């Protein structure tokens, strides 16, 4: 079983304060100090760069989250718009069907009314024809009766009739038929 050892990162101060033990024939102290100063500068620069990069990563992560939220919102909006468009389309189709159905009913009613009026007019025409025939027959009978009367011999006899003497007729009262 391995145990993890927590490694604490060095700070520039740790490097600066580091003291090495001296040995026989050790390193040149000035050279080591110069090198350590350079390491401290480089290490400080790396720490600053790391901090700047961490800030940049945090900023970019925040922007990424912002744009991810915008993308999610846009996707939801697109879905809502598509659903609304589908609903509008369905409603328009339903309304169109209702309008067509109503128009068909109105057309059937208009045709039915027109046929009923046509039948009524045809019946009225037939009735007028029948009445016209009856009138014509009666008128013919009346004219024929009048012609018969005009052609009767009574007219000829009337023309041959001679009036009696008025003096004699004045004495007798006229009889009424």
């Amino acid at each position: 079983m391995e145990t993890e050892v927590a490694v604490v990162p060095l700070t520039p101060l740790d490097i600066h304060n580091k003291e090495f033990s001296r040995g026989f024939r050790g390193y040149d102290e000035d050279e080591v100090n110069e090198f350590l100063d350079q390491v401290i500068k480089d290490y400080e620069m790396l720490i600053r760069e790391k901090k700047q990069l961490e800030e940049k990563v945090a900023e970019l992560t925040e922007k990424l989250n912002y744009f991810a939220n915008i993308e999610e919102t846009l996707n939801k909006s697109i879905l809502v718009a598509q659903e609304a468009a589908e609903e509008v389309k369905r409603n328009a189709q339903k309304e169109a069907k209702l309008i067509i159905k109503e128009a068909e009913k109105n057309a059937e009613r208009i045709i039915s009314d027109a046929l009923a009026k046509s039948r009524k007019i045809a019946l009225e025409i037939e009735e007028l024809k029948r009445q016209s025939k009856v009138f014509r027959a009666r008128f013919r009978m009346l004219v024929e009766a009048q012609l018969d009367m005009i052609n009767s011999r009574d007219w000829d006899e009337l023309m041959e009739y001679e009036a009696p003497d008025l003096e004699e007729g004045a004495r007798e009262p006229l009889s009424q038929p």
Side-chain angles (χ1 to χ4, degrees):
M1 185 183 236
E2 292 182 25
T3 56
E4 285 188 27
V5 177
V7 178
V8 178
L10 290 174
T11 65
L13 188 61
D14 291 337
I15 295 171
H16 180 69
N17 291 333
K18 177 69 177 166
E19 293 204 15
F20 297 97
S21 54
R22 296 187 186 247
F24 182 75
R25 296 187 68 185
Y27 292 107
D28 180 5
E29 191 175 327
D30 289 336
E31 196 177 314
V32 169
N33 284 338
E34 266 182 44
F35 181 75
L36 286 176
D37 286 343
Q38 184 62 44
V39 168
I40 289 170
K41 287 179 189 174
D42 290 350
Y43 197 69
E44 285 176 342
M45 185 180 69
L46 288 173
I47 289 173
R48 277 193 304 274
E49 285 180 7
K50 180 183 180 247
K51 186 176 179 181
Q52 289 173 349
L53 289 174
E54 285 174 346
E55 289 172 358
K56 187 72 171 174
V57 165
E59 180 186 330
L60 292 175
T61 301
E62 188 177 318
K63 284 183 180 180
L64 181 64
N65 289 337
Y66 172 75
F67 287 119
N69 285 338
I70 288 176
E71 179 184 21
E72 183 179 342
T73 302
L74 287 175
N75 285 337
K76 287 179 182 177
S77 297
I78 289 170
L79 287 175
V80 168
Q82 286 174 339
E83 289 172 2
E86 286 298 319
E87 184 67 23
V88 166
K89 183 179 174 183
R90 282 191 297 272
N91 287 341
Q93 287 173 341
K94 285 180 186 176
E95 190 173 336
K97 286 179 182 177
L98 289 174
I99 289 170
I100 290 170
K101 198 173 201 177
E102 187 66 27
E104 287 173 347
K105 283 182 185 177
N106 285 340
E108 288 176 14
R109 182 184 49 77
I110 290 169
I111 291 170
S112 177
D113 289 350
L115 287 173
K117 286 179 183 177
S118 172
R119 286 187 201 108
K120 182 179 177 185
I121 290 171
L123 290 173
E124 288 174 357
I125 289 172
E126 289 303 314
E127 178 62 21
L128 287 173
K129 283 181 181 179
R130 187 190 64 73
Q131 289 177 5
S132 166
K133 286 179 185 176
V134 168
F135 175 77
R136 185 176 176 203
R138 288 182 181 169
F139 190 63
R140 176 178 278 144
M141 287 173 48
L142 177 65
V143 169
E144 286 175 354
Q146 295 297 320
L147 281 174
D148 285 347
M149 186 188 292
I150 290 173
N151 290 333
S152 82
R153 298 189 117 238
D154 291 342
W155 287 100
D156 291 338
E157 289 176 8
L158 185 61
M159 292 302 199
E160 292 174 4
Y161 179 74
E162 287 189 23
D165 193 11
L166 286 178
E167 287 179 15
E168 283 180 32
R171 289 186 216 141
E172 293 180 24
L174 290 174
S175 60
Q176 292 188 355

